[in-house]
Amino acid sequence: MEPFDPCGPLPLDASTTLLEASAGTGKTHTALALGLAACQRNYSVLFVTAAALVHELMEARDERRLRILQKNLTKVDLLIVDELGYVPFTAVGSELLFEVLSRRYERGSTMLTSNLPFDEWTSVFGSERLTGALLDRLTHHVHILEMNGNSYRLATSQKRARKRGALAQSEPNIHADKPKEGGATSED
């Protein structure tokens, strides 16, 4: 497996790119940037959350338009599935997502973002056999980006809180020298 070079050519060679890290580390931001770069190079790109994709697949199945949707998802040059692992799927949802990703195997590039390492994917798909078969396909031609670090959103929030605390301490307290009404002062 070769390391992924974000400055090099886009991995649009019918491979899988997995961005794996904890929440807030920039997986979605990076996936969107790579998707935008693909669009600028005239590739067709579809960005969707895993939960929304499974929901759409289940609706399409119920409305008897699943084959058309699957065909359209197979034709996209780059399918970006965001937030895989945040919400577990039903057995039917897992099977439908498996079918989409399997159809894209060696036919179209797929990018997945996940907060879970591979050994925890069974908790999302609910079946060891299905998860094993999916990982077998996804990892055959894979670029893995492990994004280590602290949550950007958490760090920004903490920075804002510290800034507010520093401002509150530097502001003069106009009530500090006033005695409370009806109360005694040190001068009494």
Side-chain angles (χ1 to χ4, degrees), residues 118-139:
F118 291 140
D119 62 349
E120 295 181 34
W121 281 28
T122 302
S123 66
V124 177
F125 290 98
S127 164
E128 285 186 35
R129 193 174 71 210
L130 185 137
T131 304
L134 179 61
L135 288 174
D136 181 61
R137 287 163 177 79
L138 292 177
T139 59

Side-chain angles (χ1 to χ4, degrees), residues 153-170:
R153 289 183 291 269
L154 180 60
T156 302
S157 176
Q158 289 172 337
K159 186 177 178 181
R160 232 180 286 128
R162 283 193 301 272
K163 191 174 182 180
R164 280 194 302 263
L167 286 176
Q169 289 176 357
S170 67

Side-chain angles (χ1 to χ4, degrees), residues 3-178:
F4 176 72
D5 178 7
C7 298
L10 290 172
L12 294 178
D13 52 2
S15 64
T16 300
T17 303
L18 174 68
L19 291 82
E20 188 260 316
S22 57
T25 54
K27 298 178 301 293
T28 300
H29 185 84
T30 302
L32 285 169
L34 291 170
L36 177 61
C39 286
Q40 291 170 336
R41 295 177 185 175
N42 295 318
Y43 290 104
S44 60
V45 177
L46 175 63
F47 178 93
V48 64
T49 65
L53 179 56
V54 168
H55 180 76
E56 178 66 24
L57 289 164
M58 292 179 77
E59 265 188 13
R61 181 196 63 159
D62 294 345
E63 296 170 2
R64 299 188 183 276
R65 55 179 180 84
L66 181 59
R67 295 276 184 237
I68 295 168
L69 178 58
Q70 288 173 329
K71 187 176 180 181
N72 290 337
L73 291 170
T74 303
K75 287 181 180 179
V76 174
D77 294 323
L78 175 60
L79 174 64
I80 302 173
V81 181
D82 192 33
E83 298 179 344
L84 184 66
Y86 285 87
V87 180
F89 306 123
T90 63
V92 172
S94 294
E95 291 167 8
L96 291 170
L97 183 57
F98 171 82
E99 182 68 24
V100 167
L101 296 175
S102 291
R103 285 174 180 242
R104 294 188 58 76
Y105 173 64
E106 295 191 332
R107 291 187 189 129
S109 295
T110 304
M111 186 175 296
L112 304 166
T113 70
S114 180
N115 63 330
L116 297 177
F118 291 140
D119 62 349
E120 295 181 34
W121 281 28
T122 302
S123 66
V124 177
F125 290 98
S127 164
E128 285 186 35
R129 193 174 71 210
L130 185 137
T131 304
L134 179 61
L135 288 174
D136 181 61
R137 287 163 177 79
L138 292 177
T139 59
H140 185 216
H141 307 286
V142 69
H143 306 276
I144 299 176
L145 295 170
E146 288 183 291
M147 304 174 74
N148 301 317
N150 297 324
S151 168
Y152 172 78
R153 289 183 291 269
L154 180 60
T156 302
S157 176
Q158 289 172 337
K159 186 177 178 181
R160 232 180 286 128
R162 283 193 301 272
K163 191 174 182 180
R164 280 194 302 263
L167 286 176
Q169 289 176 357
S170 67
E171 292 177 359
N173 187 346
I174 59 173
H175 302 291
D177 296 327
K178 286 188 177 181

